[in-house]
Amino acid sequence: MLPAAAAADLEAAAKAAAGLPRLHSLLVSQRGTLVLERYYRGTRPTSAANIKSVSKSVLSALVGIAIERKLIPDVKAPIASFFPDRLDAARRAITIEDLLTMRSGLESTSIRNYGAWVQSPDWVRYALRRPMIGPPGGDMIYSTGNYHLLSAILTRACGKSTWAFANEVLARPLGFSFAEWPRDPQRIYFGGNDMLMTPRQMVAFGEMYLNQGRANGRQVVPPSWIEQSLVPRTRSNWSGQLYGYGWWMRELAGRQVFYAWGYGGQFIFIIPELETVVVTTSVPTPGDERRRHTRAVYGVVESLLGE
């Protein structure tokens, strides 16, 4: 349909989206211009969404900026220098890249282990002490704990909170500010979950990736980091989708799509071939229809991208 989508075609997609009971917003940007913006079930442009694991894509951008500023050596740097008193020999082999790709080898803190983790008195300690069920750099083991460790690393490397660093180097250059999001008992901002953004802010973030890290006339994220982030490096053992540095990738309607994916239906889709960004926000809480809703969101996006 895009790039020459007629208004009637966009309205058809908006109408289909309106029939999804969990959907809160659908935005489509092409070449930097919003061509579709719809809000559902009482949400408005100013309504901040809990973007859930879309937060991982934001954390990845922050890591790339920190590396470019030499606050973190590089992706191959072992995490041992940031946690010198907490790692045994096996864990000392874990690198920044292993955390970004969720190939640390540590048992997951997500899914059935999530509740115990976030109720623990020290989230970093809990994540680091998970059993090693694979070698660092091996198979992907989906775990938000990996990204919380990255938030702890950013806090130590930058000498300020992840929230403060994110506002300074990412949000302000994009023209907005991040609201504060939850912190762990040691006051480290949650890495990889529960960040808050409006749909328009999500569009701005997606457009920056589409434009090789540039926004508002300046280089916000190094172009080399954008390129590295969108290279497939592993594959999820539960979704089958490819994963890079905080970004998923797949084909929709026969086109290559990179996407940030958050629980419940929070998405930023980037379609380079069409110079297009599609954003959705949805109910972020559990529900029996959640998986069906996610499939329906993919369907709406395919209807926008189809021939």
Side-chain angles (χ1 to χ4, degrees), residues 34-54:
L34 274 176
V35 295
L36 180 66
E37 183 176 23
R38 292 290 185 274
Y39 298 91
Y40 308 100
R41 285 151 206 99
T43 58
R44 300 184 296 277
T46 55
S47 299
N50 182 338
I51 63 172
K52 305 303 288 185
S53 284
V54 171

Side-chain angles (χ1 to χ4, degrees), residues 63 74-79 90-106 132 134-143 145-147 149-150 153 225 233-234 243-246:
V63 171
D74 56 52
V75 293
K76 299 300 184 182
I79 67 171
R91 289 164 175 78
R92 287 181 180 276
I94 299 170
T95 66
I96 297 292
E97 184 176 55
D98 294 334
L99 297 181
L100 285 165
T101 56
M102 294 192 274
R103 294 183 298 166
S104 65
L106 292 164
M132 295 292 294
D139 293 338
M140 181 182 186
I141 302 168
Y142 189 91
S143 175
N146 289 292
Y147 274 78
L149 293 177
L150 287 171
I153 288 169
W225 187 257
R233 299 178 186 276
T234 188
Y243 197 68
Y245 292 167

Side-chain angles (χ1 to χ4, degrees), residues 161-234:
S161 72
T162 302
W163 172 71
F165 186 65
N167 272 314
E168 175 190 334
V169 303
L170 189 58
R172 287 175 194 150
L174 291 177
F176 61 88
S177 61
F178 283 112
E180 291 195 68
W181 66 93
R183 289 183 274 184
D184 73 8
Q186 283 65 49
R187 311 300 286 169
I188 295 169
Y189 281 88
F190 202 168
N193 198 9
D194 286 351
M195 294 182 76
L196 303 170
M197 296 177 75
T198 68
R200 287 180 181 175
Q201 291 167 356
M202 295 166 71
V203 168
F205 183 72
E207 287 176 345
M208 179 193 65
Y209 267 76
L210 191 63
N211 293 321
Q212 294 300 300
R214 291 189 64 82
N216 299 321
R218 63 182 289 186
Q219 194 72 46
V220 181
V221 177
S224 59
W225 187 257
I226 303 294
E227 182 179 353
Q228 292 172 48
S229 298
L230 304 182
V231 171
R233 299 178 186 276
T234 188

Side-chain angles (χ1 to χ4, degrees), residues 240-257:
Q241 300 306 320
L242 294 167
Y243 197 68
Y245 292 167
W247 288 85
W248 299 92
M249 47 212 73
R250 66 180 296 170
E251 283 194 358
L252 288 174
R255 304 184 191 277
Q256 178 66 64
V257 175

